Amino acid sequence: MATLELSEISVRFGGLQALTDVSFCVREGDIVGLIGPNGAGKTTVFNVITGVYQTSAGQVRYDGTPLRALRPHKILALGVARTFQNIRLFQNMTALENVMVAQHCRTRVGVLGAVLRLPSQKREEERIRQRSLEALEFMDLGEFAGELASNMAYGLQRRLEIARALATEPKTILLDEPAAGLNPAESRDLMHTIGRISELGINILMVEHDMKVVMGICRHIVVLDHGVMIAEGKPEEIQRDPRVIEAYLGNELN
Amino acid sequence: MEFFLQQLVNGITLGGVYALVALGYTMVYGIIQLINFAHGEIYAAGGYMGVILISWLFAQGFPPFVCLGAALVLAMGYCALLAMAVEKLAYQPLRQSSRLSVLLSALGMSIFLQNGLMLTQGVYDRAYPTEMVQGGFELGTVMISYMQCIIVGVTALLLVALNVLVYKTRIGKAMRATAQDKTMSALVGINSSRIISLTFAIGAGLAAAAGIMVGLYYGSVRYDMGFVPGIKAFSAAVLGGIGNITGAMLGGLLIGMIEVFAAGYISSEYKDVFAFIILIAVLYFMPTGIMGENVDDTRV
Amino acid sequence: MKRALYLLSVLLLASFVVAGCGKKDEKAADAAKAGIKIGSLGPLTGQYAADGNDIKNGVLAAIEVMNPEMGALGPVTLQAEDDACDPRQAVAAANKLINEKATAVIGAYCSSATIPASEPLIAAKIFMITPASTNEKVTERGMPYMFRTCGRDDDQSKAAVKFMTDQLKAKNVYIVDDKTTYSQGLADNVEKLAGGAGLKVLGHEHVNQGDKDYSAVLTKVKAAKPDVFYVSLQNSASAAPMLIQIARMGIKTHILAQDAVYHPQLMELAKKDAEGVFLTFGYTDKETPSYKKFAAAYKKYGEPGAYSAYSYDSTVAYLKAVKAAGSTDPEKVKAELMKLEFDGASKHIKYKENGDSGSNYVIQVVKDGKFTNYWNPETGELFK
């Protein structure tokens, strides 16, 4: 059974065709890599899945539910979380608050309860706190809970973004270049972490430039070029695919 | 010294009211970059709701604190709903349009609400039962009226409540997150429409409370009472750093103080001039206000 | 759910207009054809709305009383214009009344609106009779069709200073005004006259029109401990918060105000804090037959304000002159108006060459929630 299914997605911005007939699936337990040269439309795919962009044609389904008309927070509530290529943390909040805010859709108490500090609100607040601390621990960020996001080192901010996405209790997580800007040691840690996330039963779709990371952990790879899917398959198949090689190294071959 | 202290007390009272109104401007601006021109009218509507409720409750023989408390709660609730309605009908449909369209819509709303108040409530001043809270006490040589105590007390209470809400609860976190980055907060599961609506409601509630206290303090309300304090409160928000909640509180207090001290030590007729000179001077050296701006300027 | 929310929103906003729709549109009643069209000019909206409406209502009452007498010249109709006490809007309203072929305009309220509005009106040979603008300049510009039924500020300030020195035995005074042609003119006059009368001016402060917070000024006044606090404000809605704050600050001194604050609204808003306030006001004997006739006609508009009777008299005077002239020809009407002499509701009316009708200021005091005659500067004696 497919969890996340894209069928013949096209996106057009004015005269620019950003995506053309893109179709692939992220299945239960999958770690899917989405690769392609710059401007291939990888982030656009993420924006379509999470409801930031509307498709011009085609359908995205999650567990059979069409996502087309849903606003981003509803899609998240269904269990699809994401991180950003250029880190988008809430810079004026602490690490813990960044994670806590991500549990908004999983909690209930209203404004009045919050202002009056009703017991139900206090209990809920405590529960959110516990879970957020767990998410931070999971990403080895426990000791930075009270740190302002803007004061954290780059590598830590990357991990915090993932922690925040995990705190939304997703079933599928979209990682946009999680290894960008990391040193080799941090990249190795990251691969390990992604493995652990997968072990939690969360499906992963990631965009990544670092081929070591992609080839090391992805079980399935989709290749985009100029908005068109040019290949799909296991890592070793992709590495040999002439179209992929051409897309990446095109000029040198000619 | 006595003169100074007396003016200080007056300045805190006036500044507290500006702060309450300024918060609505700053919170809305912080979240959708809109100068909500209709905010002053919401404040006036609060003042009117207050006079209607307090006069009636007081005439029924309820004790003053019950009248005031009930009127505050009901008027704040009413204005919160009113502001949400304004947002839903006049601003939300324009969420994707240029900022100028929304600004014009806000101006239109302001005119609509002011004229609505004039039509339904008349052009005359409406008297508050000022006899409800009378007298005061002398602290040394400084005269403090009970009304001033109530204003300062209620203002402080509301400001603390707002701080708790914004900094200690999940809803507050969602509001701060939405103000910083609407797209991202939607992607971590926050319903930004709801949070925007809520922001309008909270700002309106505070303005309504300010409207009631101003009505009680000066003894009357009039349909056009929202205009001048609206401009001053907006200046206060800019002075403190637009989008910044602490800034709005500080800015409100400062504008109140400057006005009172300029009137006290220089001249009453130039008090507004001084308030605006200081505003310009601060913005010249600190373009983002005293506490710094806090506005979502990220784009998808 | 969504639809319900929208519906609720619409309902909430509708609450702002629904109550207003029930009100009768007064314009509809005014829309008659031929006859005499009188314009009224005054602030029908804004902070001076109460006074502007008094003027309009005074004209309406007079039209009702005079209409049966006008015969073939009638009917008399009113076109009420709003100047919001703003010089620009006043000129625009005056031009509108010229276009609408009004032959006389009763108004305006603020001297600062009357003076600019009079220019186009008088040029178009339309009578302008002000029931309320007391600034001297109104009638001192040699305008042939400019008349004034109320008194003048120079006379009013004389009465004020005389009261302070002779009756209150004051040695010093603190003055505050709100910078309108009227209020500052009056305050400046008092300051000028005070020197000659041996009255020391401890301070003269200006506040902004429409201000509601006077705490800073009042703190100064409290420290100065004057014998009299002379408060010159444009109207009762500004004066009421002043009185409330004076009481709240615990300032105990004589307070002297002027005709502009004469309005039942003052007591309504300031309640017991208005008690004991003195004001200079044109003397009106409320026991005369003409006052009673006016009071009966005015009843449906509520309690008469400061200028209701003056406005009524201004209208009656014009209509009497028209009747005598047998037409609305400006030259003929002017000749009749200059000859006219009658007992009006407010006072005995006889226009002088410059258009003034004389001042008869007395001191009133607010007592038991009513304006009561207190002291007569002519005789230097208290009223009984």
Side-chain angles (χ1 to χ4, degrees):
Chain A
M1 191 195 78
T3 355
L4 179 66
E5 183 186 358
L6 284 76
S7 43
E8 301 185 345
I9 297 294
S10 293
V11 173
R12 169 189 285 281
F13 301 116
L16 179 78
Q17 188 78 31
L19 292 179
T20 313
D21 293 337
V22 174
S23 308
F24 65 90
C25 295
V26 180
R27 295 188 179 78
E28 206 75 51
D30 250 351
I31 303 182
V32 178
L34 183 59
I35 64 172
N38 281 328
K42 303 177 301 271
T43 301
T44 307
V45 171
F46 275 22
N47 280 333
V48 165
I49 297 172
T50 52
V52 177
Y53 291 162
Q54 291 295 316
T55 53
S56 313
Q59 187 67 272
V60 185
R61 285 171 193 279
Y62 190 73
D63 277 344
T65 315
L67 302 186
R68 193 180 157 74
L70 293 182
R71 304 236 310 279
H73 69 274
K74 294 273 188 199
I75 294 175
L76 183 105
L78 287 175
V80 184
R82 84 180 272 192
T83 67
F84 276 85
Q85 176 184 350
N86 48 341
I87 301 173
R88 283 177 82 165
L89 291 166
F90 302 118
Q91 298 288 344
N92 298 340
M93 294 188 184
T94 63
L96 181 61
E97 285 179 325
N98 262 286
V99 179
M100 285 171 78
V101 86
Q103 294 194 3
H104 195 87
C105 67
R106 308 283 175 220
T107 48
R108 275 283 69 87
V109 176
V111 188
L112 226 50
V115 177
L116 300 175
R117 316 233 73 190
L118 298 178
S120 62
Q121 186 264 339
K122 279 193 171 163
R123 273 200 303 279
E124 186 165 71
E125 200 69 23
E126 193 46 47
R127 209 182 61 229
I128 295 176
R129 217 184 137 74
Q130 279 313 320
R131 279 209 209 151
S132 305
L133 282 171
E134 283 165 23
L136 285 176
E137 288 297 342
F138 183 83
M139 295 302 296
D140 290 329
L141 289 168
E143 57 188 300
F144 300 102
E147 196 76 45
L148 266 187
S150 53
N151 295 344
M152 289 167 74
Y154 185 81
L156 297 178
Q157 292 200 17
R158 279 255 171 254
R159 297 225 295 270
L160 180 55
E161 258 214 329
I162 299 176
R164 183 175 64 182
L166 289 176
T168 65
E169 299 172 25
K171 281 180 275 177
T172 300
I173 189 165
L174 314 182
L175 303 173
D176 200 345
E177 300 201 24
L182 299 187
N183 63 36
E186 286 173 328
S187 291
R188 270 196 305 281
D189 277 352
L190 178 78
M191 283 167 68
H192 179 65
T193 308
I194 293 173
R196 279 165 57 217
I197 295 172
S198 180
E199 280 162 24
L200 292 174
I202 296 172
N203 318 326
I204 296 166
L205 172 63
M206 62 190 282
V207 166
E208 189 47 68
H209 273 303
D210 187 333
M211 285 304 148
K212 258 206 213 96
V213 175
V214 178
M215 299 302 163
I217 54 172
C218 293
R219 288 158 209 168
H220 192 83
I221 289 175
V222 175
V223 188
L224 286 182
D225 186 25
H226 292 101
V228 182
M229 255 176 77
I230 54 171
E232 182 179 17
K234 294 200 169 60
E236 48 277 20
E237 297 166 13
I238 295 299
Q239 275 169 317
R240 286 194 301 267
D241 195 310
R243 281 169 304 178
V244 178
I245 296 167
E246 194 196 322
Y248 270 92
L249 308 167
N251 291 336
E252 285 173 40
L253 280 184
N254 292 335
Chain B
M1 191 60 197
E2 160 195 353
F3 185 69
F4 176 83
L5 289 175
Q6 181 72 60
Q7 299 289 31
L8 191 69
V9 171
N10 299 338
I12 290 174
T13 316
L14 189 64
V17 171
Y18 285 152
L20 283 180
V21 184
L23 282 165
Y25 280 107
T26 225
M27 287 163 66
V28 165
Y29 192 91
I31 216 155
I32 55 170
Q33 288 80 59
L34 166 71
I35 301 171
N36 184 13
F37 284 111
H39 191 59
E41 272 56 52
I42 300 279
Y43 154 88
Y48 265 101
M49 206 60 193
V51 75
I52 293 168
L53 290 167
I54 291 182
S55 303
W56 187 77
L57 289 168
F58 193 60
Q60 307 302 306
F62 286 103
F65 277 96
V66 175
C67 298
L68 185 62
L72 270 175
V73 170
L74 290 173
M76 285 170 78
Y78 172 78
C79 286
L81 288 177
L82 184 66
M84 285 162 84
V86 167
E87 196 270 332
K88 192 143 219 80
L89 288 178
Y91 307 151
Q92 204 189 61
L94 298 171
R95 191 66 38 82
Q96 305 305 324
S97 323
S98 78
R99 278 194 209 169
L100 203 59
S101 325
V102 196
L103 203 68
L104 285 176
S105 187
L107 259 178
M109 254 305 150
S110 161
I111 295 169
F112 172 81
L113 290 176
Q114 192 180 108
N115 284 283
L117 268 181
M118 186 175 84
L119 277 173
T120 54
Q121 303 298 325
V123 294
Y124 298 98
D125 283 58
R126 183 93 184 254
Y128 260 86
T130 36
E131 64 270 28
M132 203 173 83
V133 185
Q134 272 179 335
F137 56 91
E138 299 231 359
L139 202 72
T141 48
V142 179
M143 182 80 198
I144 301 174
S145 68
Y146 293 130
M147 199 57 236
Q148 283 179 317
C149 296
I150 291 179
I151 292 185
V152 173
V154 171
T155 306
L157 197 73
L158 288 173
L159 295 186
V160 169
L162 182 73
N163 264 306
V164 168
L165 180 74
V166 171
Y167 291 104
K168 295 267 188 284
T169 68
R170 57 180 275 276
I171 288 171
K173 281 186 205 83
M175 286 172 63
R176 281 187 290 148
T178 309
Q180 279 180 43
D181 188 337
K182 259 196 294 300
T183 315
M184 193 59 231
S185 46
L187 290 171
V188 295
I190 295 164
N191 182 346
S192 57
S193 288
R194 220 180 123 238
I195 293 296
I196 290 169
S197 199
L198 201 64
T199 305
F200 271 86
I202 292 170
L206 297 175
I212 291 183
M213 289 187 295
V214 159
L216 266 175
Y217 191 54
Y218 300 131
S220 60
V221 288
R222 191 174 41 229
Y223 71 95
D224 62 353
M225 68 187 269
F227 183 66
V228 176
I231 290 182
K232 299 239 178 91
F234 179 68
S235 312
V238 174
L239 183 64
I242 193 99
N244 192 316
I245 289 175
T246 326
M249 296 180 187
L250 191 72
L253 274 176
L254 267 177
I255 294 259
M257 294 281 189
I258 294 167
E259 261 189 32
V260 167
F261 279 107
Y265 286 103
I266 303 160
S267 162
S268 280
E269 64 185 319
Y270 291 121
K271 63 177 183 159
D272 293 351
V273 177
F274 273 92
F276 287 110
I277 285 178
I278 302 243
L279 177 72
I280 292 167
V282 168
L283 292 183
Y284 186 80
F285 294 107
M286 293 185 257
T288 55
I290 298 170
M291 303 292 287
E293 281 181 10
N294 189 4
V295 169
D296 167 21
D297 43 15
T298 53
R299 294 278 171 272
V300 184
Chain C
M1 183 58 193
K2 242 192 167 145
R3 182 155 300 181
L5 268 178
Y6 270 96
L7 204 66
L8 189 72
S9 302
V10 172
L11 280 177
L12 258 172
L13 290 189
S15 74
F16 265 74
V17 270
V18 169
C21 295
K23 290 197 178 153
K24 191 179 119 245
D25 189 357
E26 282 152 358
K27 280 238 173 79
D30 301 338
K33 308 122 287 219
I36 302 167
K37 186 178 258 180
I38 293 183
S40 84
L41 196 56
L44 301 178
T45 57
Q47 53 186 332
Y48 309 123
D51 308 280
N53 280 288
D54 286 344
I55 292 176
K56 179 181 133 190
N57 293 337
V59 178
L60 281 172
I63 289 177
E64 198 183 306
V65 168
M66 291 299 290
N67 237 338
E69 296 181 27
M70 297 309 290
L73 291 163
V76 186
T77 55
L78 169 72
Q79 169 133 2
E81 288 299 326
D82 181 10
D83 67 9
C85 231
D86 173 56
R88 280 156 301 185
Q89 205 172 323
V91 171
N95 283 321
K96 187 170 171 205
L97 287 169
I98 294 171
N99 286 334
E100 301 273 345
K101 307 252 183 295
T103 54
V105 172
I106 310 299
Y109 171 69
C110 296
S111 299
S112 45
T114 306
I115 293 173
S118 66
E119 309 267 350
L121 286 175
I122 307 297
K125 294 197 169 181
I126 294 172
F127 285 86
M128 186 175 199
I129 309 177
T130 177
S133 299
T134 49
N135 189 274
E136 302 92 80
K137 290 195 202 84
V138 169
T139 50
E140 290 194 343
R141 296 166 299 148
M143 294 195 143
Y145 301 103
M146 182 81 229
F147 292 85
R148 163 153 58 198
T149 314
C150 56
R152 287 165 55 116
D153 285 345
D154 41 2
D155 297 328
Q156 181 163 205
S157 39
K158 270 180 222 152
V161 171
K162 193 160 187 233
F163 175 65
M164 290 192 264
T165 53
D166 294 10
Q167 177 66 19
L168 297 178
K169 312 282 183 220
K171 297 273 175 290
N172 51 49
V173 60
Y174 204 106
I175 303 172
V176 168
D177 70 61
D178 64 356
K179 292 197 293 189
T180 64
T181 310
Y182 161 82
S183 67
Q184 192 171 355
L186 210 44
D188 289 346
N189 274 341
V190 166
E191 185 173 357
K192 240 183 286 161
L193 291 171
L199 201 57
K200 192 165 177 251
V201 178
L202 298 177
H204 184 165
E205 283 278 331
H206 310 278
V207 296
N208 294 316
Q209 225 186 128
D211 265 358
K212 278 199 159 180
D213 192 279
Y214 305 114
S215 54
V217 166
L218 291 178
T219 304
K220 283 188 183 175
V221 174
K222 194 182 181 192
K225 297 196 178 62
D227 292 342
V228 184
F229 182 22
Y230 187 73
V231 184
S232 181
L233 299 178
Q234 184 69 44
N235 84 336
S236 52
S238 314
M242 174 71 96
L243 297 178
I244 292 172
Q245 288 169 53
I246 288 173
R248 206 178 275 150
M249 300 269 299
I251 297 173
K252 293 191 175 54
T253 178
H254 293 298
I255 298 158
L256 178 57
Q258 331 58 35
D259 57 341
V261 305
Y262 181 101
H263 196 282
Q265 191 181 239
L266 186 73
M267 281 76 96
E268 213 173 279
L269 298 178
K271 310 212 176 57
K272 72 164 189 37
D273 295 338
E275 284 294 303
V277 170
F278 296 111
L279 61 152
T280 42
F281 194 73
Y283 176 69
T284 294
D285 185 350
K286 295 188 176 170
E287 299 305 320
T288 63
S290 8
Y291 187 85
K292 284 182 176 158
K293 193 172 171 191
F294 153 74
Y298 198 85
K299 203 164 179 133
K300 61 176 153 188
Y301 305 112
E303 191 88 2
Y307 306 108
S308 304
Y310 289 121
S311 164
Y312 172 88
D313 283 344
S314 306
T315 315
V316 170
Y318 173 71
L319 290 176
K320 274 180 187 289
V322 169
K323 196 177 146 197
S327 83
T328 54
D329 180 81
E331 296 294 333
K332 288 184 196 157
V333 175
K334 166 135 195 197
E336 290 300 329
L337 200 56
M338 295 314 294
K339 276 191 267 174
L340 189 70
E341 191 166 356
F342 72 106
D343 280 319
S346 58
K347 62 182 181 186
H348 182 79
I349 293 190
K350 171 83 185 93
Y351 291 107
K352 299 179 205 167
E353 199 47 51
N354 70 350
D356 272 330
S357 56
S359 312
N360 54 348
Y361 285 104
V362 298
I363 306 297
Q364 293 203 333
V365 66
V366 178
K367 199 178 159 207
D368 301 328
K370 281 202 166 56
F371 293 107
T372 320
N373 286 327
Y374 182 74
W375 188 74
N376 190 343
E378 291 296 315
T379 59
E381 279 171 17
L382 294 173
F383 283 97
K384 301 257 155 37

